[in-house]
Amino acid sequence: MTSPYDLLRYYIGPPLIILGATGGVQVLAWLGGDSSSLPLSPWGNGASWGAVGVTLLWGLASLWVPGEDFYGPETSFGYTPRYKANGVPFFVVSVAAYLTLVFLTPQLPIHLFRNFANIIASCNLLALLLCVFLLVKGKQWPGSREKIKPKPLIYEFYRGIELHPRILGVDVKQLTNCRFGLLAWELLVITFFLAGWERNGFSLPHLVSTLLQTVYLAKFYWWETGYFNTLDIILDRAGYYICWGCLAFVPSLYTFASYYLVANPPVMSTWGAVGTLILGLTSISLNYRVDWEKEYFKASNGRCALWGTPASCIEAKYETKQGVRRSKLLTSGFWGLARHLNYTFELLLALSWCLPGLGRGLLPFIYFIFLTILLVHRVFRDEEKCAVKYGTAWVEYCQKVPYRMLPGVF
Ligand code: NDP
């Protein structure tokens, strides 16, 4: 008999999330718009499909161009995913090309702002179609020999089937996450800043919000190959959760503070904007530093110094189908203060680019609120994964570094 937990997890939760989130992003687009917004057509319109199609093809082309490959960590079933390692040129050329396009067609930002609800409708449809395709592909033509226990269909659609599917010669998650979702995020925040400038005059707080997101996204592309070691890639299967998330949720919710400021211009003072810029840049640097310490430590196989002393660690081992593997859990630097300080700084940086909406109610902070829930939940998800993988070594690490995100508090 199905337990209440399984009923919720496999049958009730997924359809509720799918309906709520797919509709929710359309509501957000409506909430941030104003009377100048174009009416929503549930199927999108020619312009919205043009914008979404060009971004998708551009992202796809960036993975087809010849260039260096990067190999991600081997899976437990012996598959080593292959990615294209050209994140920085992709980001720089994309932003330059978009700014040139705006220079040639100055009305483009305002037009995209007014048509945003339809752009999100196109993103929604594209994402849902892709997720259906991924479900069928995972069941009929899986690309790997991984044995996956069948689950209820709606849950499989939500969670995804394959870990690293490839379509048209590219890794699906690199395309949806890195080359569509995050690029759309960058282009949209530039768009909303320019649309706000056109409508309301120049706004320093809006510029600060745009700059901070641009620095953050540039940092992402700088570190793109590191992203292939994260939970999104090594744990999450290509399904609604991650692929719809990057194709529709990121362009909608992640850009919302910038979108909202077009119809509701910032009321923050110049000094407030300067303080926000300092807070944002500091948080971005610290978030990068925490991630870097772990990568640097892993790349040197533990033989490195952090904060002026040799790095300390706990020896760990875990089993794979290919046998026992060894690893090390870092206990120095930021990783000796708390187990997820990168998430703490991530929250501060997200807060900083929402702050220009201060005085405009709660809506400009919706991304920050969402991210707080996501990252707290993610801490527990990650720790559950690590506890299963590393067993007693993980318990020892938690005893040595007892706090998760805020030393002395949580
Ligand atoms: P982490 O970078 O914290 O990676 C967690 C993994 O690191 C664990 O599963 C484990 O993997 C390894 N690990 C954990 N503790 C240690 C340790 N002490 N020593 C060595 N290895 C350890 O998490 P994410 O992948 O979630 O995040 C990466 C970045 O992305 C962060 O900057 C985060 O803030 C950001 N992010 C942003 C989001 C957004 O929507 N804006 C969402 C999620 C993340 P292993 O099994 O390999 O040992």
Short mmCIF file of all heavy atoms in Angstrom, two decimals, residues 24 64 102 157:
data_model
loop_
_atom_site.label_atom_id
_atom_site.label_comp_id
_atom_site.label_asym_id
_atom_site.label_seq_id
_atom_site.Cartn_x
_atom_site.Cartn_y
_atom_site.Cartn_z
N GLY A 24 2.50 30.35 -11.95
CA GLY A 24 3.07 31.40 -11.09
C GLY A 24 3.97 32.36 -11.86
O GLY A 24 3.93 33.57 -11.62
N TRP A 64 28.16 24.13 -30.31
CA TRP A 64 28.57 23.42 -31.53
C TRP A 64 29.94 23.88 -32.03
O TRP A 64 30.62 23.14 -32.73
CB TRP A 64 27.55 23.66 -32.65
CG TRP A 64 26.33 22.79 -32.57
CD1 TRP A 64 26.22 21.57 -31.97
CD2 TRP A 64 25.04 23.06 -33.15
NE1 TRP A 64 24.95 21.07 -32.11
CE2 TRP A 64 24.20 21.97 -32.84
CE3 TRP A 64 24.51 24.11 -33.89
CZ2 TRP A 64 22.88 21.90 -33.25
CZ3 TRP A 64 23.19 24.04 -34.30
CH2 TRP A 64 22.38 22.94 -33.98
N VAL A 102 20.82 46.53 -29.61
CA VAL A 102 20.04 47.61 -28.98
C VAL A 102 20.45 48.96 -29.56
O VAL A 102 19.60 49.84 -29.78
CB VAL A 102 20.25 47.59 -27.44
CG1 VAL A 102 19.64 48.83 -26.80
CG2 VAL A 102 19.62 46.34 -26.85
N PHE A 157 8.30 12.81 -14.87
CA PHE A 157 8.30 14.04 -15.67
C PHE A 157 8.90 15.18 -14.85
O PHE A 157 9.72 15.96 -15.33
CB PHE A 157 6.85 14.39 -16.06
CG PHE A 157 6.70 15.71 -16.76
CD1 PHE A 157 6.99 15.84 -18.11
CD2 PHE A 157 6.28 16.84 -16.06
CE1 PHE A 157 6.85 17.07 -18.75
CE2 PHE A 157 6.15 18.07 -16.69
CZ PHE A 157 6.43 18.18 -18.04
#
